[in-house]
Amino acid sequence: MPTHTAKGLVCFWDDFLVDTLATFKWTANADTGGTATVIESPGGELRLTTDGTDGDIQNAFGPEIFQADDGGPVVFHSRARLVTSLSQGVFLGLSDDNDADEVPIDLDAGTLTTTATDAVGFVYDSGEDGKWYCVGVKAGVDTAQTAVNSKWNPV
């Protein structure tokens, strides 16, 4: 639920501490056979799983309550844990693309592929080099990807 802070900023957050996904906050999509389940664990957890067939996509997204060009800062906080680093790609960030069958930003063989028009975040692809990258796209133009400090890489 968005809340207004003392500084006039809007904050959208969820610790996933309840036993079901709050569907008034989140939409979970999967192209085939995927599930989104809130798991009882310390700190809360939303587990996105696929059925294991090639090319699976699973996503969870909330409402677009941000617009960076309105003059205020946009701050993004997230905790993510990859269950395995084998054969997966992850985009974690802010995007105007909420399509169940697309990854807003994907990195494959060093090439950035964007389906979003405006997005910013972090991307991980096990086929790259086991690193997270800062990535973005603005008005349909990709930005340069930058490797994140190695201590945050899952392998």
Side-chain angles (χ1 to χ4, degrees):
M1 169 82 55
T3 58
H4 296 274
T5 67
K7 295 183 180 183
L9 305 175
V10 176
C11 178
F12 177 83
W13 60 273
D14 195 336
D15 284 334
F16 302 108
L17 295 175
V18 294
D19 59 355
T20 57
L21 183 64
T23 55
F24 66 94
K25 290 183 185 180
W26 299 101
T27 300
N29 282 323
D31 61 351
T32 55
T35 60
T37 310
V38 175
I39 305 296
E40 292 184 34
S41 68
E45 180 179 335
L46 174 63
R47 183 170 295 166
L48 303 174
T49 59
T50 64
D51 65 0
T53 59
D54 189 38
D56 280 345
I57 294 176
Q58 171 65 294
N59 61 25
F61 55 87
E64 292 181 32
I65 61 168
F66 61 90
Q67 186 147 344
D69 62 359
D70 280 348
V74 175
V75 179
F76 175 77
H77 295 265
S78 179
R79 293 184 315 251
R81 179 176 58 120
L82 304 184
V83 175
T84 176
S85 61
L86 304 174
S87 301
Q88 66 182 335
V90 176
F91 170 77
L92 190 61
L94 304 172
S95 171
D96 62 355
D97 182 8
N98 292 336
D99 192 312
D101 292 327
E102 298 178 336
V103 178
I105 301 179
D106 192 15
L107 184 61
D108 188 25
T111 301
L112 209 56
T113 303
T114 55
T115 58
T117 302
D118 294 296
V120 64
F122 301 92
V123 68
Y124 172 84
D125 190 302
S126 58
E128 277 310 300
D129 50 13
K131 295 180 182 178
W132 283 93
Y133 287 87
C134 299
V135 294
V137 57
K138 180 178 179 181
V141 179
D142 297 346
T143 62
Q145 65 259 23
T146 305
V148 175
N149 186 310
S150 63
K151 75 178 184 176
W152 303 114
N153 294 326
V155 290

mmCIF file of all heavy atoms in Angstrom, residues 53-82:
data_model
loop_
_atom_site.group_PDB
_atom_site.id
_atom_site.type_symbol
_atom_site.label_atom_id
_atom_site.label_comp_id
_atom_site.label_asym_id
_atom_site.label_seq_id
_atom_site.Cartn_x
_atom_site.Cartn_y
_atom_site.Cartn_z
ATOM 1 N N THR A 53 10.083 -25.874 -17.824
ATOM 2 C CA THR A 53 10.274 -25.998 -19.264
ATOM 3 C C THR A 53 11.100 -24.817 -19.757
ATOM 4 O O THR A 53 11.184 -23.786 -19.101
ATOM 5 C CB THR A 53 8.925 -26.042 -20.001
ATOM 6 O OG1 THR A 53 8.205 -24.840 -19.702
ATOM 7 C CG2 THR A 53 8.119 -27.261 -19.575
ATOM 8 N N ASP A 54 11.703 -24.963 -20.898
ATOM 9 C CA ASP A 54 12.575 -23.936 -21.440
ATOM 10 C C ASP A 54 11.814 -22.645 -21.716
ATOM 11 O O ASP A 54 10.709 -22.653 -22.222
ATOM 12 C CB ASP A 54 13.215 -24.442 -22.745
ATOM 13 C CG ASP A 54 14.290 -23.495 -23.232
ATOM 14 O OD1 ASP A 54 15.020 -22.948 -22.385
ATOM 15 O OD2 ASP A 54 14.386 -23.291 -24.442
ATOM 16 N N GLY A 55 12.439 -21.535 -21.359
ATOM 17 C CA GLY A 55 11.873 -20.231 -21.672
ATOM 18 C C GLY A 55 10.796 -19.758 -20.713
ATOM 19 O O GLY A 55 10.032 -18.854 -21.039
ATOM 20 N N ASP A 56 10.691 -20.352 -19.523
ATOM 21 C CA ASP A 56 9.686 -19.935 -18.549
ATOM 22 C C ASP A 56 9.906 -18.489 -18.124
ATOM 23 O O ASP A 56 11.034 -18.030 -17.982
ATOM 24 C CB ASP A 56 9.750 -20.799 -17.293
ATOM 25 C CG ASP A 56 9.060 -22.127 -17.482
ATOM 26 O OD1 ASP A 56 8.306 -22.270 -18.448
ATOM 27 O OD2 ASP A 56 9.269 -23.014 -16.654
ATOM 28 N N ILE A 57 8.800 -17.800 -17.904
ATOM 29 C CA ILE A 57 8.846 -16.442 -17.367
ATOM 30 C C ILE A 57 7.864 -16.371 -16.212
ATOM 31 O O ILE A 57 6.729 -16.827 -16.315
ATOM 32 C CB ILE A 57 8.479 -15.400 -18.439
ATOM 33 C CG1 ILE A 57 9.539 -15.382 -19.532
ATOM 34 C CG2 ILE A 57 8.320 -14.026 -17.816
ATOM 35 C CD1 ILE A 57 9.219 -14.460 -20.690
ATOM 36 N N GLN A 58 8.300 -15.810 -15.102
ATOM 37 C CA GLN A 58 7.452 -15.601 -13.938
ATOM 38 C C GLN A 58 7.732 -14.195 -13.447
ATOM 39 O O GLN A 58 8.888 -13.783 -13.350
ATOM 40 C CB GLN A 58 7.783 -16.641 -12.860
ATOM 41 C CG GLN A 58 7.141 -16.430 -11.523
ATOM 42 C CD GLN A 58 5.638 -16.552 -11.529
ATOM 43 O OE1 GLN A 58 4.944 -15.754 -12.140
ATOM 44 N NE2 GLN A 58 5.115 -17.531 -10.845
ATOM 45 N N ASN A 59 6.684 -13.424 -13.184
ATOM 46 C CA ASN A 59 6.915 -12.084 -12.674
ATOM 47 C C ASN A 59 5.864 -11.689 -11.661
ATOM 48 O O ASN A 59 4.797 -12.280 -11.577
ATOM 49 C CB ASN A 59 6.990 -11.058 -13.819
ATOM 50 C CG ASN A 59 5.729 -10.969 -14.651
ATOM 51 O OD1 ASN A 59 4.647 -11.280 -14.192
ATOM 52 N ND2 ASN A 59 5.869 -10.540 -15.887
ATOM 53 N N ALA A 60 6.206 -10.698 -10.858
ATOM 54 C CA ALA A 60 5.276 -10.079 -9.920
ATOM 55 C C ALA A 60 5.493 -8.580 -10.046
ATOM 56 O O ALA A 60 6.625 -8.112 -10.069
ATOM 57 C CB ALA A 60 5.553 -10.552 -8.493
ATOM 58 N N PHE A 61 4.407 -7.845 -10.173
ATOM 59 C CA PHE A 61 4.555 -6.403 -10.284
ATOM 60 C C PHE A 61 3.430 -5.702 -9.547
ATOM 61 O O PHE A 61 2.357 -6.241 -9.348
ATOM 62 C CB PHE A 61 4.628 -5.955 -11.750
ATOM 63 C CG PHE A 61 3.466 -6.398 -12.600
ATOM 64 C CD1 PHE A 61 2.314 -5.638 -12.682
ATOM 65 C CD2 PHE A 61 3.535 -7.573 -13.334
ATOM 66 C CE1 PHE A 61 1.251 -6.043 -13.459
ATOM 67 C CE2 PHE A 61 2.481 -7.984 -14.118
ATOM 68 C CZ PHE A 61 1.333 -7.218 -14.182
ATOM 69 N N GLY A 62 3.751 -4.494 -9.110
ATOM 70 C CA GLY A 62 2.786 -3.657 -8.418
ATOM 71 C C GLY A 62 2.358 -2.508 -9.313
ATOM 72 O O GLY A 62 2.757 -2.426 -10.479
ATOM 73 N N PRO A 63 1.563 -1.596 -8.774
ATOM 74 C CA PRO A 63 1.082 -0.473 -9.575
ATOM 75 C C PRO A 63 2.215 0.492 -9.926
ATOM 76 O O PRO A 63 3.192 0.597 -9.192
ATOM 77 C CB PRO A 63 0.058 0.201 -8.653
ATOM 78 C CG PRO A 63 0.520 -0.152 -7.280
ATOM 79 C CD PRO A 63 1.103 -1.527 -7.389
ATOM 80 N N GLU A 64 2.067 1.165 -11.043
ATOM 81 C CA GLU A 64 3.048 2.183 -11.422
ATOM 82 C C GLU A 64 2.712 3.470 -10.672
ATOM 83 O O GLU A 64 1.867 4.242 -11.096
ATOM 84 C CB GLU A 64 3.024 2.421 -12.923
ATOM 85 C CG GLU A 64 3.531 1.246 -13.720
ATOM 86 C CD GLU A 64 3.514 1.511 -15.212
ATOM 87 O OE1 GLU A 64 3.696 2.670 -15.625
ATOM 88 O OE2 GLU A 64 3.302 0.554 -15.958
ATOM 89 N N ILE A 65 3.374 3.672 -9.538
ATOM 90 C CA ILE A 65 3.110 4.853 -8.716
ATOM 91 C C ILE A 65 4.253 5.843 -8.806
ATOM 92 O O ILE A 65 4.308 6.802 -8.059
ATOM 93 C CB ILE A 65 2.878 4.475 -7.244
ATOM 94 C CG1 ILE A 65 4.101 3.787 -6.666
ATOM 95 C CG2 ILE A 65 1.635 3.625 -7.092
ATOM 96 C CD1 ILE A 65 4.081 3.646 -5.164
ATOM 97 N N PHE A 66 5.172 5.618 -9.722
ATOM 98 C CA PHE A 66 6.340 6.470 -9.834
ATOM 99 C C PHE A 66 6.393 7.114 -11.208
ATOM 100 O O PHE A 66 5.876 6.578 -12.172
ATOM 101 C CB PHE A 66 7.613 5.648 -9.625
ATOM 102 C CG PHE A 66 7.776 4.561 -10.656
ATOM 103 C CD1 PHE A 66 8.461 4.802 -11.833
ATOM 104 C CD2 PHE A 66 7.218 3.308 -10.474
ATOM 105 C CE1 PHE A 66 8.597 3.815 -12.793
ATOM 106 C CE2 PHE A 66 7.341 2.318 -11.435
ATOM 107 C CZ PHE A 66 8.035 2.580 -12.596
ATOM 108 N N GLN A 67 6.976 8.277 -11.250
ATOM 109 C CA GLN A 67 7.285 8.917 -12.523
ATOM 110 C C GLN A 67 8.471 9.820 -12.262
ATOM 111 O O GLN A 67 8.331 10.901 -11.699
ATOM 112 C CB GLN A 67 6.106 9.701 -13.075
ATOM 113 C CG GLN A 67 6.405 10.233 -14.456
ATOM 114 C CD GLN A 67 5.181 10.299 -15.337
ATOM 115 O OE1 GLN A 67 4.160 9.700 -15.048
ATOM 116 N NE2 GLN A 67 5.296 11.035 -16.410
ATOM 117 N N ALA A 68 9.646 9.337 -12.647
ATOM 118 C CA ALA A 68 10.888 10.019 -12.306
ATOM 119 C C ALA A 68 10.952 11.439 -12.849
ATOM 120 O O ALA A 68 11.558 12.309 -12.225
ATOM 121 C CB ALA A 68 12.083 9.218 -12.815
ATOM 122 N N ASP A 69 10.314 11.707 -13.981
ATOM 123 C CA ASP A 69 10.411 13.054 -14.537
ATOM 124 C C ASP A 69 9.467 14.054 -13.871
ATOM 125 O O ASP A 69 9.364 15.191 -14.290
ATOM 126 C CB ASP A 69 10.200 13.039 -16.053
ATOM 127 C CG ASP A 69 8.828 12.532 -16.462
ATOM 128 O OD1 ASP A 69 8.025 12.171 -15.586
ATOM 129 O OD2 ASP A 69 8.570 12.504 -17.673
ATOM 130 N N ASP A 70 8.779 13.652 -12.801
ATOM 131 C CA ASP A 70 7.942 14.580 -12.045
ATOM 132 C C ASP A 70 8.755 15.409 -11.061
ATOM 133 O O ASP A 70 8.193 16.206 -10.332
ATOM 134 C CB ASP A 70 6.831 13.831 -11.296
ATOM 135 C CG ASP A 70 5.668 13.494 -12.215
ATOM 136 O OD1 ASP A 70 5.621 14.029 -13.332
ATOM 137 O OD2 ASP A 70 4.821 12.684 -11.810
ATOM 138 N N GLY A 71 10.050 15.197 -11.001
ATOM 139 C CA GLY A 71 10.914 16.067 -10.209
ATOM 140 C C GLY A 71 11.357 15.527 -8.867
ATOM 141 O O GLY A 71 12.244 16.083 -8.256
ATOM 142 N N GLY A 72 10.765 14.461 -8.390
ATOM 143 C CA GLY A 72 11.171 13.925 -7.098
ATOM 144 C C GLY A 72 12.106 12.744 -7.265
ATOM 145 O O GLY A 72 12.204 12.163 -8.340
ATOM 146 N N PRO A 73 12.808 12.394 -6.203
ATOM 147 C CA PRO A 73 13.687 11.224 -6.295
ATOM 148 C C PRO A 73 12.872 9.931 -6.294
ATOM 149 O O PRO A 73 11.790 9.872 -5.732
ATOM 150 C CB PRO A 73 14.533 11.326 -5.025
ATOM 151 C CG PRO A 73 13.669 12.068 -4.060
ATOM 152 C CD PRO A 73 12.862 13.025 -4.891
ATOM 153 N N VAL A 74 13.410 8.922 -6.955
ATOM 154 C CA VAL A 74 12.825 7.588 -6.925
ATOM 155 C C VAL A 74 13.854 6.684 -6.259
ATOM 156 O O VAL A 74 15.002 6.618 -6.696
ATOM 157 C CB VAL A 74 12.504 7.068 -8.348
ATOM 158 C CG1 VAL A 74 12.023 5.631 -8.291
ATOM 159 C CG2 VAL A 74 11.461 7.953 -9.013
ATOM 160 N N VAL A 75 13.465 6.024 -5.185
ATOM 161 C CA VAL A 75 14.355 5.133 -4.445
ATOM 162 C C VAL A 75 13.753 3.739 -4.502
ATOM 163 O O VAL A 75 12.554 3.564 -4.282
ATOM 164 C CB VAL A 75 14.510 5.596 -2.976
ATOM 165 C CG1 VAL A 75 15.412 4.659 -2.215
ATOM 166 C CG2 VAL A 75 15.025 7.031 -2.921
ATOM 167 N N PHE A 76 14.590 2.752 -4.800
ATOM 168 C CA PHE A 76 14.120 1.377 -4.933
ATOM 169 C C PHE A 76 14.893 0.493 -3.958
ATOM 170 O O PHE A 76 16.112 0.492 -3.954
ATOM 171 C CB PHE A 76 14.357 0.911 -6.381
ATOM 172 C CG PHE A 76 14.013 -0.528 -6.624
ATOM 173 C CD1 PHE A 76 12.701 -0.918 -6.745
ATOM 174 C CD2 PHE A 76 15.007 -1.477 -6.730
ATOM 175 C CE1 PHE A 76 12.375 -2.247 -6.973
ATOM 176 C CE2 PHE A 76 14.696 -2.801 -6.958
ATOM 177 C CZ PHE A 76 13.368 -3.185 -7.079
ATOM 178 N N HIS A 77 14.155 -0.229 -3.115
ATOM 179 C CA HIS A 77 14.758 -1.178 -2.177
ATOM 180 C C HIS A 77 14.199 -2.558 -2.488
ATOM 181 O O HIS A 77 13.006 -2.703 -2.746
ATOM 182 C CB HIS A 77 14.387 -0.847 -0.730
ATOM 183 C CG HIS A 77 14.905 0.439 -0.232
ATOM 184 N ND1 HIS A 77 16.077 0.537 0.465
ATOM 185 C CD2 HIS A 77 14.425 1.694 -0.330
ATOM 186 C CE1 HIS A 77 16.280 1.796 0.781
ATOM 187 N NE2 HIS A 77 15.291 2.513 0.302
ATOM 188 N N SER A 78 15.049 -3.573 -2.417
ATOM 189 C CA SER A 78 14.576 -4.931 -2.632
ATOM 190 C C SER A 78 15.543 -5.919 -1.997
ATOM 191 O O SER A 78 16.735 -5.650 -1.893
ATOM 192 C CB SER A 78 14.483 -5.217 -4.136
ATOM 193 O OG SER A 78 14.056 -6.532 -4.350
ATOM 194 N N ARG A 79 14.982 -7.029 -1.565
ATOM 195 C CA ARG A 79 15.803 -8.158 -1.134
ATOM 196 C C ARG A 79 15.478 -9.295 -2.087
ATOM 197 O O ARG A 79 14.316 -9.589 -2.343
ATOM 198 C CB ARG A 79 15.437 -8.591 0.287
ATOM 199 C CG ARG A 79 15.767 -7.598 1.349
ATOM 200 C CD ARG A 79 15.457 -8.158 2.740
ATOM 201 N NE ARG A 79 14.164 -8.828 2.818
ATOM 202 C CZ ARG A 79 13.112 -8.350 3.467
ATOM 203 N NH1 ARG A 79 13.188 -7.217 4.095
ATOM 204 N NH2 ARG A 79 11.983 -9.018 3.499
ATOM 205 N N ALA A 80 16.499 -9.919 -2.622
ATOM 206 C CA ALA A 80 16.270 -11.026 -3.548
ATOM 207 C C ALA A 80 17.249 -12.144 -3.242
ATOM 208 O O ALA A 80 18.400 -11.898 -2.911
ATOM 209 C CB ALA A 80 16.450 -10.565 -4.989
ATOM 210 N N ARG A 81 16.755 -13.360 -3.334
ATOM 211 C CA ARG A 81 17.608 -14.530 -3.136
ATOM 212 C C ARG A 81 17.299 -15.505 -4.257
ATOM 213 O O ARG A 81 16.166 -15.954 -4.399
ATOM 214 C CB ARG A 81 17.323 -15.171 -1.785
ATOM 215 C CG ARG A 81 18.159 -16.410 -1.517
ATOM 216 C CD ARG A 81 17.892 -16.935 -0.133
ATOM 217 N NE ARG A 81 16.491 -17.240 0.055
ATOM 218 C CZ ARG A 81 16.028 -18.439 0.369
ATOM 219 N NH1 ARG A 81 16.856 -19.438 0.544
ATOM 220 N NH2 ARG A 81 14.739 -18.641 0.529
ATOM 221 N N LEU A 82 18.319 -15.809 -5.040
ATOM 222 C CA LEU A 82 18.137 -16.783 -6.109
ATOM 223 C C LEU A 82 18.320 -18.176 -5.521
ATOM 224 O O LEU A 82 19.309 -18.448 -4.852
ATOM 225 C CB LEU A 82 19.152 -16.550 -7.223
ATOM 226 C CG LEU A 82 19.176 -15.154 -7.833
ATOM 227 C CD1 LEU A 82 20.164 -15.092 -8.978
ATOM 228 C CD2 LEU A 82 17.800 -14.721 -8.280
#
